[in-house]
Each structure stands twice: as C-alpha cells, then as structure tokens.
C-alpha cells in the first residue's frame, strides 16, 4: 500500500490545499490529511472545526482520511507507519523554508521520512490561508479562495459581538 501524509495548519483550508489533496490522492492508495494541533498559535478555526471542514471538502475522495496531530511530524509518521510527507510549493519564497523542514525531518527520522513536493496549480499560486483571513476580515470576496460551503463559515469568524 502506498500511503502518504499531507500535514498542515489548514487555518483555513483553501482551494490550493484542496488541489494538492486531490492530486496527491490520485498518486497514493491512501492519503491522510492531518491538522497540526499547535498550542502556541491562536487559530481562527479550532482543530475540530478544521478537521470537519477537511472531511466535508474531501468527501468525494474515498482514499482520503482526515486526522490531527501534535508534536513532531516524524513521530506522527512513525506512529502511522507512513514514510512520505506531501507538501505544496507555491513559489520560490516557499522553497527555502520547506527545504529546511524537509531536510530536518529526514535527519530527525534517520532517512525514514521523505518529503514530496507538488507544485501548486497556477490558478492557486497566489493563495494562502493568511490572505484568505485578511480578505475576509475586511469583508472582501473570498469565493475564489475557498470552497463554496466554507465562505460563510469564514466570514462568521469575523463577526463582532458574538
Ligand atoms: O500549513 P503549515 O503551517 O505551513 O504547516 C506546517 C507543518 C504543520 C507541516 C509543520 O509546522 C510541522 O510539521 N510541524 C510539526 C512540528 C515538527 O515536526 N517540526 C519539525 C520540523 S522543523
């Protein structure tokens, strides 16, 4: 069985993430999309909400499972007995950071965990979770950034007095 893990913050998931998920899912027998539970950050969506959103967005992909993890990615890979990590690369600006993380993970896992990069489809190359949050915070149009079912949920996070 060829399996891989696609880890990330997914706060929130974007169409760029979904594009990577769909393409990776077609290359592996199973793909686990896993949300990092990072206690140090104060996210827009809780881990549970992000998992639920990812489950809804990937409902059409029968070989995709959604999970969450905390701690080191390589420990999670070991626990799941998975040796391949998927990451998306949008532009050269992503490369330096991603290269460093991939090499660190390879070193920490003694060569047991490799990272495969998928270049983001051009139409999503500009997209990031941070820009989606910023656009939504100022009431801008995010319909080209996230799946339709997520649009109102993102706006709702910025409603005041709730
Ligand atoms: O969507 P993101 O925020 O770019 O995802 C980053 C993520 C979750 C892949 C990365 O931060 C991660 O794997 N964190 C877990 C901690 C870890 O293993 N760090 C060691 C690598 S330096």
């Amino acid at each position: 069985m060829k399996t891989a893990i696609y880890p990330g913050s997914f706060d929130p998931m974007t169409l760029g993430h979904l594009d990577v998920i769909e393409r990776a899912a077609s290359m592996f027998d199973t793909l686990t999309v896993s949300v990092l539970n990072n206690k140090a950050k104060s996210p827009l969506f809780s881990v549970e909400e992000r998992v639920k959103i990812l489950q809804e967005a990937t409902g059409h992909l029968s070989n995709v499972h959604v999970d969450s993890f905390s701690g080191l990615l390589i420990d999670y890979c070991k626990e799941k007995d998975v040796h391949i990590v998927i990451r998306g690369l949008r532009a050269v600006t992503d490369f330096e950071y991603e290269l460093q993380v991939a090499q660190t993970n390879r070193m920490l896992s003694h060569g047991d965990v490799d990272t495969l990069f998928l270049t983001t489809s051009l139409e999503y190359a500009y997209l990031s979770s941070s820009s989606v949050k910023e656009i939504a915070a100022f009431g801008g149009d995010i319909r080209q950034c996230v799946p339709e079912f997520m649009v109102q949920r993102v706006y709702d996070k910025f409603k005041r007095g709730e």
Side-chain angles (χ1 to χ4, degrees), residues 7-10 36 41 69 71-74 87 97-98 101 104-105 108:
S9 302
F10 304 107
L36 174 66
K41 278 192 184 175
F69 75 104
L72 288 179
L73 178 60
I74 57 141
R87 293 286 289 168
Y97 168 74
E98 292 294 342
V101 174
T104 304
N105 284 336
L108 286 173

Side-chain angles (χ1 to χ4, degrees), residues 5-7 10 13-28 30-34 53-55 57-61 63-66 86-88 118:
I5 287 173
Y6 178 32
F10 304 107
M13 188 207 80
T14 68
L15 288 173
H17 292 130
L18 191 55
D19 171 58
V20 170
I21 292 169
E22 285 172 344
R23 286 159 57 206
S26 73
M27 297 170 192
F28 290 88
T30 63
L31 177 72
T32 300
V33 181
S34 201
I53 284 172
L54 281 159
Q55 282 169 338
T58 60
H60 60 299
L61 302 166
N63 63 336
V64 171
H65 309 284
V66 184
I86 302 290
R87 293 286 289 168
L118 288 183

Side-chain angles (χ1 to χ4, degrees), residues 2 14 21 31 45 49 58 66 71 78 80 82-83 93 96 102 108 114 121 124 131 135 140 152 155 157 159-160:
K2 283 191 295 169
T14 68
I21 292 169
L31 177 72
F45 287 90
E49 287 171 322
T58 60
V66 184
K78 196 171 181 179
K80 296 278 170 194
V82 174
H83 307 274
T93 40
E96 208 171 325
L108 286 173
D114 258 312
S121 295
Y124 304 125
S131 57
I135 297 166
Q152 196 53 48
Y155 286 136
K157 288 286 175 186
K159 278 189 189 157
R160 285 159 207 272

